[in-house]
Amino acid sequence: MACGADSAGQRRGRVSRALALVAFAAVAAVTAAQTQPAPEAASERVDKEAVTTQRWMVAAANPLAAKAGDRILAAGGNAIDAVVAVQMVLGLVEPQSSGIGGGAFLLVHDAKRGRLVAWDGRETAPAAAMPDRFLRDGKPLPFFDAVVGGRSVGVPGVLRMLEAAHRKHGRLAWSRLFDDAIELAEQGFAVSPRLHQLLAHERHLTQPRSRAYFHDADGRPLPVGAILRNPAYARTLRAVAAGGADAFYTGPIAQDIVDTVARAAHPGDLTLADLAGYRAIERTPLCDRYRRYRICGMPLPSSGTITILQMLKMLEPYDVAAMGPASFWSVHFVSEAGRLAFADRAVYAADPAFYRAPTWLLDDAYLRERSRLIRTGSSLGKAQPGEPPPPALDRAAWGRDSALDLPSTSHVSIVDRDGNAVAMTTTIENQFGSRLMTAGGFLLNNELTDFSFVPEDHGKPVANRVEGGKRPRSSMAPTIAYDWHGRVAIVAGSPGGSAIINYVAKTLLAIIDWKLDAQAAAALPNFGSRNGPTELEAKTAVAALAPRLRALGAPVDTLEMTSGVQAIVRTPAGWVGGADPRREGAVVGR
């Protein structure tokens, strides 16, 4: 860490003491409801209690998926075995969010080897993809014109990634990990309230195969409780269980994927060679310290961890604990840090295989200078990207990204009896992805719309432009944090598009600074800025802060913010888990 005559510690002490007085006054001025860990709930929330276990824990976005992971652990499997089982069930019961037609990022804490590994299962663009893929007459396509159909489909990565991780870290036989998903697919599962609600509002499931699967004979969305069977998905899983990921990336399943993309509205150019050539990448995790914790996550091409770490490091000089959870001052400071970090993200984050990735974004001196831009009496409104210190890459060489990065994703957190831990964020991008279902019973992603629609900005190339074989920038942020003893302390993540960054940052602050348990942290109102408005979650206590924030010059939006945090925290009493009340997640364990 950089230091000087005016060290970070000295400055932190002066600023913290001064800010504490301001923050305590602010906390006293706001209502008690604005600082409580269990705020007024939005209408769709279901109250959930924190879960405590001693041996293992699975937190996932659907109870059936969480139970599948729990059964694998009870059968002697480990965390990586369990996450494979969880993903296979999620792709069936929560198909709008993730599945084998999409991609994922996975962190694995291997207790035996004493190391953390980051697995990149992000989709790639077909080899034929060109930078103008989402332009029409030189202008960006409307979002759903780009999303729906074959043009948006990238090479799925989740199965190659899970297979590679399982070969290195797994315990049970690969073929045993598919049993729950196969049984559910054949016998059927009850349509959940969330799946029904999303289907009722979905207007782009026009492909006959996907429409027939999700609707009844009269064309109405399947009602809550309807039994939905997917024998085609069961056959696909049986093939993968027996033949490994090769059964997906080559042969009849691969041909079906290529045909589905080619025959769709807005056909794509995915080929058998693209599928056969896909490789998951084992990467070095990105880690930095915040307070007494070591926070670790995915490196580029995910922008999630680096943006969160920038925010935390910019907030570290200030007494965030004294501000209180979801108070006026904490919302203001977190939003200002978000503006600064997202400004950098828009310019500097992309697939590192295709450009010279910056190495200075977590430099202590750089972040101290950025942190000083946060003011108590005013908002930045819209922040500008930081200037790299010489002799780093010149900012002028890169244009600003125009990716829309809209949400539909899922997150899984697991710890096992041997001290292993996994955090996996998995996605097919927008809800129901490209809206294309294969004959194999799974939806295909629309991941390529995570690239910038515009390849140049004022004559400068955008780092995250479309290129053949490239991985689009992501916001997914699976996170494992270590305590001062070097033990796994927090396993967390969330869906939510680019808002994932603020959801995970809020969760870490809630646990580390505000000492909330995992469930209270997940339930805390959402807030933050993505270098646009300060975003406040509707129907929660933070929405009442809008007038005071506007008085600082901040644009403010109040909106639904449907995070899906799954968090597990080490405590003296054991593992304590929380599932976001905004979704159907569950925590199970023993």
Side-chain angles (χ1 to χ4, degrees):
M1 300 297 178
C3 59
D6 183 18
S7 72
Q10 292 169 331
R11 179 174 174 268
R12 182 180 300 117
R14 290 198 301 273
V15 175
S16 295
R17 287 190 294 273
L19 187 61
L21 298 174
V22 177
F24 280 127
V27 170
V30 297
T31 65
Q34 291 168 343
T35 58
Q36 291 300 311
E40 179 184 356
S43 60
E44 69 274 13
R45 290 188 182 186
V46 176
D47 290 337
K48 298 178 181 180
E49 299 292 332
V51 175
T52 302
T53 66
Q54 302 299 316
R55 291 186 288 170
W56 66 74
M57 181 171 282
V58 180
N62 182 281
L64 293 171
K67 289 175 184 176
D70 179 66
R71 280 191 282 270
I72 289 293
L73 294 174
N78 63 13
I80 193 65
D81 298 324
V83 81
V84 177
V86 170
Q87 175 66 90
M88 297 310 120
V89 174
L90 283 176
L92 175 70
V93 301
E94 198 198 30
Q96 72 274 9
S97 295
S98 74
I100 60 175
F105 289 119
L106 172 68
L107 290 180
V108 180
H109 171 78
D110 187 322
K112 183 177 180 179
R113 295 178 176 86
R115 64 189 294 256
L116 182 70
V117 178
W119 290 96
D120 178 347
R122 185 66 161 163
E123 299 90 335
T124 57
M130 301 298 290
D132 63 353
R133 191 177 191 86
F134 297 116
L135 296 180
R136 180 187 295 152
D137 298 327
K139 296 180 180 179
L141 288 170
F143 180 68
F144 285 109
D145 285 358
V147 166
V148 179
R151 178 166 42 203
S152 65
V153 179
V155 182
V158 69
L159 274 174
R160 274 287 185 221
M161 181 199 75
L162 289 175
E163 182 184 61
H166 179 262
R167 282 176 176 165
K168 188 163 187 176
H169 309 285
R171 178 177 298 156
L172 298 182
W174 172 259
S175 60
R176 292 186 60 183
L177 310 179
F178 297 78
D179 292 347
D180 274 52
I182 291 170
E183 182 178 355
L184 280 169
E186 291 179 335
Q187 296 185 3
F189 66 96
V191 171
S192 72
R194 179 169 173 77
L195 176 54
H196 167 74
Q197 181 185 40
L198 291 173
L199 286 171
H201 292 88
E202 174 58 46
R203 298 293 178 264
H204 302 284
L205 280 171
T206 56
Q207 183 208 33
R209 185 186 290 139
S210 61
R211 188 159 187 82
Y213 177 70
F214 289 114
H215 295 76
D216 64 20
D218 295 321
R220 295 172 299 196
L222 292 173
V224 175
I227 301 302
L228 183 56
R229 296 177 176 85
N230 193 337
Y233 185 62
R235 289 192 294 272
T236 296
L237 294 188
R238 288 186 187 279
V240 174
D246 281 348
F248 180 91
Y249 289 92
T250 62
I253 297 174
Q255 185 65 61
D256 175 44
I257 293 171
V258 170
D259 291 344
T260 301
V261 168
R263 295 169 183 169
H266 310 303
D269 43 19
L270 190 67
T271 68
L272 288 172
D274 291 323
L275 286 159
Y278 182 86
R279 297 292 181 269
I281 300 175
E282 181 179 347
R283 298 190 186 273
T284 301
L286 182 63
C287 301
D288 210 333
R289 301 204 70 83
Y290 177 71
R291 312 294 184 201
R292 298 176 69 189
Y293 290 79
R294 183 170 172 254
I295 313 293
C296 295
M298 292 300 306
L300 294 171
S302 180
S303 66
T305 299
I306 195 166
T307 309
I308 290 167
L309 288 174
Q310 281 195 306
M311 292 173 64
L312 295 177
K313 299 294 282 185
M314 284 187 273
L315 290 168
E316 194 166 26
Y318 305 108
D319 196 346
V320 176
M323 299 179 194
S327 72
F328 169 74
W329 285 114
S330 60
V331 170
H332 171 62
F333 272 76
V334 171
S335 297
E336 295 300 286
R339 287 183 165 90
L340 292 161
F342 271 86
D344 282 354
R345 172 185 178 273
V347 174
Y348 299 121
D351 184 345
F354 285 76
Y355 82 125
R356 190 170 62 177
T359 59
W360 46 270
L361 288 173
L362 292 176
D363 179 77
D364 284 348
Y366 172 74
L367 290 175
R368 281 198 298 272
E369 289 302 314
R370 298 288 276 171
S371 178
R372 291 187 181 108
L373 298 175
I374 301 174
R375 299 282 185 264
T376 57
S378 63
S379 170
L380 290 161
K382 189 171 183 66
Q384 297 300 311
E387 294 288 348
L393 181 66
D394 181 5
R395 179 170 67 84
W398 299 104
R400 299 192 193 196
D401 197 313
S402 64
L404 296 177
D405 207 2
L406 298 181
S408 194
T409 301
S410 199
H411 181 80
V412 184
S413 294
I414 303 175
V415 293
D416 69 21
R417 59 166 65 80
D418 298 317
N420 303 301
V422 301
M424 180 179 75
T425 310
T426 174
T427 188
I428 57 171
E429 179 51 10
N430 193 236
Q431 69 182 31
F432 303 102
S434 63
R435 277 67 170 182
L436 297 179
M437 179 168 277
T438 67
F442 56 91
L443 289 166
L444 295 174
N445 68 84
N446 67 286
E447 214 65 61
L448 301 189
T449 56
D450 265 358
F451 285 116
S452 176
F453 281 28
V454 177
E456 291 187 354
D457 173 34
H458 295 90
K460 295 176 289 187
V462 173
N464 186 41
R465 64 193 180 277
V466 181
E467 296 178 82
K470 191 175 187 178
R471 298 172 190 236
R473 185 192 65 194
S474 173
S475 299
M476 293 190 288
T479 301
I480 294 180
Y482 296 85
D483 65 17
W484 46 95
H485 299 296
R487 303 173 302 180
V488 171
I490 303 168
V491 185
S494 177
S498 60
I500 288 171
I501 291 163
N502 286 330
Y503 297 154
V504 175
K506 175 211 75 171
T507 301
L508 294 172
L509 293 169
I511 294 166
I512 294 171
D513 285 301
W514 301 323
K515 311 303 180 188
L516 303 186
D517 67 39
Q519 186 58 53
L524 194 69
N526 288 317
F527 56 87
S529 176
R530 292 174 279 179
N531 203 24
T534 296
E535 296 173 332
L536 306 175
E537 186 176 7
K539 303 175 186 177
T540 70
V542 295
L545 301 175
R548 296 182 64 192
L549 293 163
R550 289 190 180 104
L552 296 181
V556 178
D557 276 353
T558 301
L559 65 161
E560 299 295 331
M561 301 177 73
T562 311
S563 54
V565 173
Q566 312 291 344
I568 298 174
V569 179
R570 179 189 294 274
T571 75
W575 295 110
V576 175
D580 203 313
R582 300 163 183 85
R583 300 200 185 203
E584 295 170 337
V587 180
V588 297
R590 311 187 192 186

